[in-house]
């Protein structure tokens, strides 16, 4: 919550999600983090992979957040990844039309995760909002710390 017991109005109408990914090296050990809020309820999640990329961890955060939802409520997803936001709001429809190929006919990178995100996002009314990373946004900072925890576990720290 923002101010003690005060519940912000945004999180009473829809699930508010913050996602982030982290990677040491690219590829290297990586982690993803998620902070979800709905009314007075909050949930934190994180995970990791020993050998991955930052983009894959950004995608995994969004996927795992949406997969964790139990009711078909409206959702607001905050991400500091232009790759995720632009991909799911602009690029994915063209990729599907082209058989998961880019405009220059190359296979879409991370197609397995894009297909998974597209499928799970289709179950919800999702608004995708980009937020500047490391700018003091409470939700982004929390998701970042969770992603770092996952990355550090993957790296054996």
């Amino acid at each position: 919550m923002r101010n003690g017991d005060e519940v912000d109005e945004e999180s009473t109408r829809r699930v508010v999600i913050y996602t982030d990914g982290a990677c040491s090296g690219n590829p290297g050990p990586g982690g993803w983090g998620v902070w979800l809020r709905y009314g007075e309820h909050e949930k934190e999640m994180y995970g990791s992979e020993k050998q991955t990329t930052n983009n894959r961890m950004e995608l995994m955060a969004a996927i795992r957040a949406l997969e964790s939802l139990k009711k078909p409520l409206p959702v607001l997803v905050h991400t500091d990844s232009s790759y995720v936001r632009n991909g799911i709001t602009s690029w994915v429809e063209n990729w599907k039309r082209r058989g998961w190929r880019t405009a220059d006919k190359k296979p879409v990178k991370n197609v397995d995760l894009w297909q998974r995100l597209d499928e799970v996002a289709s179950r919800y009314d999702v608004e995708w909002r980009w937020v500047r990373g490391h700018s003091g946004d409470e939700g982004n900072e929390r998701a970042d710390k969770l992603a770092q925890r996952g990355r550090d576990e993957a790296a054996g720290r």
Side-chain angles (χ1 to χ4, degrees), residues 141-157:
E141 297 296 331
R142 284 181 72 168
D144 180 59
K145 282 185 180 18
L146 292 162
Q148 289 177 37
R149 185 185 305 168
R151 178 205 59 209
D152 291 349
E153 286 183 11
R157 296 183 205 144

Side-chain angles (χ1 to χ4, degrees), residues 11 23 31-32 34 75 91 96 103 107 114 116 119 124 129-130 143:
S11 70
C23 206
W32 55 266
V34 173
V75 181
W91 307 333
K96 289 192 298 188
W114 282 115
R116 191 168 159 191
E119 192 280 321
Y124 300 96
R129 191 174 293 172
W130 180 81

Side-chain angles (χ1 to χ4, degrees), residues 44-103:
E44 291 183 337
M45 304 183 319
Y46 71 95
S48 63
E49 291 184 24
K50 292 210 180 283
Q51 190 70 5
T52 190
T53 65
N54 191 68
N55 282 343
R56 288 186 70 81
M57 292 295 89
E58 295 282 359
L59 285 162
M60 279 303 298
I63 290 164
R64 295 301 298 269
L66 293 172
E67 286 178 346
S68 76
L69 301 178
K70 293 174 176 49
K71 295 181 182 175
L73 298 166
V75 181
L76 171 60
V77 177
H78 297 83
T79 178
D80 63 6
S81 171
S82 296
Y83 175 68
V84 170
R85 185 182 178 282
N86 292 339
I88 198 64
T89 62
S90 299
W91 307 333
V92 75
E93 292 306 318
N94 286 328
W95 289 339
K96 289 192 298 188
R97 249 194 315 280
R98 291 189 211 103
W100 292 97
R101 299 223 170 248
T102 63

Side-chain angles (χ1 to χ4, degrees), residues 1 6-16 37-41:
M1 304 319 131
E6 188 179 315
V7 176
D8 87 29
E9 183 181 336
E10 186 101 74
S11 70
T12 60
R13 295 187 319 246
R14 56 186 168 177
V15 179
V16 176
R37 292 180 318 175
Y38 181 70
E40 296 180 5
H41 305 282

Side-chain angles (χ1 to χ4, degrees), residues 122-138:
S122 72
R123 300 180 207 159
Y124 300 96
D125 174 14
V126 183
E127 178 184 343
W128 297 89
R129 191 174 293 172
W130 180 81
V131 61
R132 182 174 306 282
H134 310 287
S135 63
D137 181 285
E138 176 190 13

